[in-house]
Amino acid sequence: MPHHPDPHSTISLAFRHADDIDGVTAAIHEDVSSAARAGDSLFVCCDEAAGIDRLTPTGQGTWGNHVHFNFGEMIDLPGGPDGEMDIEGLDVDGGWLWVTGSHSLKRGKMKPHKHDAESGLAAMARIKRDPNRYFLGRFPLVKRPGGYEPVAVHGTRRAAWIKLKKKRSKLLGWLEDDAHLGPALGIPSKENGFDIEGMVARGERVWLGLRGPVLRDHAVILGLEMGETENGHLKPRRIDGRRRYRKHLVPAAGEGIRDLEVDGDDLLILTGPVTGGDGRSDILRWKGFRAFETSGVVPAEVVEHVVELPYRGPVDHPEGLVLWPEVKGAALVLYDAPAKARIPEPETILGDIWKLG
């Protein structure tokens, strides 16, 4: 089994402080959830905000010039411009930036500094539904002197998304009767509930990688083919009988999906634990993924193990994956819950470049 104990190299990413950015309350560099790239513009997202962040090169192996783009200032979001979108999937294709929220439920947390045993139990009984998490759509990308920018309108191109409602996700509605996924829709994320954590798009085809549910040892990838309605919203076509999605079960040794990236004819899959606990993380390669046009279990012989990422316990959880053309056959991996050694300066993190074998 291929194994790379050390990354090929590292790069540094420098961000502005959250206090300097409207609508951002969390330290972005400590909470990266996905990544995508358009030329010299690297887009990353923090799952606690309603927008994304762009970095551009500032030197050899250093990225900065941080700009934040608030989607709530471009379009109407049902939870308001500051409501958490929990963005977990980004991709760039054909001049578009594709974005998806997790579509997941969130359980309350026991906070030892705030709760005693009884109030902590009550807090963990609360399950929250954030309507901004139901976003799945695309924004035109425009190249400007500072780099690529997502906008609501550019010429004849307009931002479009699956119609949003305050109390209901249309995507989850289409999954309610699914024998595999329906039972997971009422379960919070990190508990094997429904949770999108990866996205790629090519043309009208979109693939969504699920952190959960994991079905025995198989991770789930949903395939959609988008059309546009008369009022400008996106809506998946019926492609699998009466269903608006294809369902691919990928052998992943019991791990869920944390991010996706297209590499030629193949799909790179970043995996990790389903729950909030610590555990192993890998990069897999699903060879020839676009040729799979019916639902089913993906044969093990077309899923190749590429990299076993180092396990570092409660820190350095791999969350973002993006090809890195500066190093042939390599990808950048970004981490949530970074270790102190990964933060060389305030608001700065180190990402790892891994050779894909």
Side-chain angles (χ1 to χ4, degrees):
M1 179 181 295
H3 177 71
H4 301 274
D6 297 302
H8 173 274
S9 55
T10 62
I11 65 167
S12 69
L13 310 178
F15 296 84
R16 294 158 56 202
H17 195 282
D19 291 346
D20 298 331
I21 309 171
D22 291 340
V24 175
T25 57
I28 295 169
H29 69 294
E30 295 182 355
D31 203 15
V32 172
S33 59
S34 187
R37 188 166 165 178
D40 282 344
S41 295
L42 176 65
F43 294 103
V44 301
C45 54
C46 165
D47 57 16
E48 295 189 23
I52 62 163
D53 303 273
R54 186 195 70 201
L55 302 176
T56 55
T58 55
Q60 184 66 34
T62 61
W63 291 63
N65 303 318
H66 176 207
V67 178
H68 180 76
F69 300 96
N70 188 332
F71 292 137
E73 295 175 355
M74 303 180 198
I75 64 172
D76 290 330
L77 295 171
D82 297 326
E84 176 187 311
M85 287 180 75
D86 196 24
I87 297 172
E88 293 285 355
L90 296 175
D91 197 32
V92 171
D93 174 61
W96 296 93
L97 176 70
W98 286 84
V99 179
T100 185
S102 68
H103 289 64
S104 65
L105 300 176
K106 179 170 64 175
R107 185 180 296 281
K109 289 183 179 180
M110 159 65 175
K111 300 179 180 179
H113 63 280
K114 180 180 179 181
H115 299 129
D116 58 21
E118 185 175 351
S119 62
L121 192 65
M124 293 188 66
R126 292 192 288 270
I127 296 176
K128 186 177 180 182
R129 188 185 306 270
D130 293 320
N132 286 356
R133 290 185 173 210
Y134 298 148
F135 185 87
L136 197 173
R138 64 188 182 191
F139 294 85
L141 279 178
V142 180
K143 189 173 185 180
R144 290 182 173 150
Y148 284 93
E149 297 183 13
V151 297
V153 181
H154 181 247
T156 60
R157 299 188 302 151
R158 294 178 176 271
W161 55 94
I162 293 177
K163 190 174 182 180
L164 289 163
K165 296 186 177 182
K166 279 195 172 183
K167 296 185 178 181
R168 183 177 175 85
S169 157
K170 292 187 74 67
L171 175 63
L172 298 189
W174 296 322
L175 296 171
E176 282 180 348
D177 296 330
D178 188 277
H180 300 98
L181 303 179
L185 300 184
I187 302 173
S189 62
K190 302 178 180 64
E191 299 176 15
N192 212 34
F194 186 88
D195 189 1
I196 300 171
E197 285 217 10
M199 170 193 237
V200 293
R202 289 298 179 269
E204 295 179 336
R205 296 182 70 182
V206 174
W207 292 263
L208 304 174
L210 306 188
R211 176 172 179 165
V214 167
L215 305 174
R216 295 191 68 90
D217 62 345
H218 289 71
V220 181
I221 293 178
L222 297 178
L224 313 175
E225 291 188 8
M226 292 296 186
E228 195 162 325
T229 66
E230 291 182 357
N231 59 7
H233 285 105
L234 296 180
K235 189 173 185 178
R237 299 185 180 94
R238 297 186 188 275
I239 54 175
D240 189 2
R242 300 264 323 150
R243 299 193 183 279
R244 298 185 185 272
Y245 58 92
R246 300 184 184 101
K247 182 173 48 183
H248 308 289
L249 306 187
V250 181
E255 298 171 24
I257 293 171
R258 296 302 179 88
D259 209 355
L260 301 174
E261 175 73 329
V262 175
D263 184 13
D265 294 330
D266 303 337
L267 183 66
L268 298 175
I269 304 171
L270 178 66
T271 68
V274 180
T275 68
D278 313 320
R280 174 172 168 163
S281 182
D282 297 89
I283 299 176
L284 308 178
R285 180 186 295 276
W286 177 9
K287 293 179 284 188
F289 77 108
R290 278 183 269 193
F292 287 75
E293 296 186 343
T294 58
S295 296
V297 178
V298 177
E301 57 266 24
V302 301
V303 180
E304 172 188 341
H305 184 277
V306 180
V307 179
E308 180 182 339
L309 297 168
Y311 170 62
R312 298 191 176 112
V315 298
D316 286 353
H317 300 153
E319 284 282 336
L321 178 72
V322 60
L323 289 179
W324 205 249
E326 286 80 0
V327 179
K328 185 178 180 180
L332 169 68
V333 174
L334 298 176
Y335 303 85
D336 188 11
K340 290 183 179 180
R342 197 170 288 282
I343 307 177
E345 299 176 25
E347 314 308 318
T348 299
I349 56 167
L350 300 178
D352 292 336
I353 308 296
W354 292 92
K355 295 284 283 184
L356 299 174

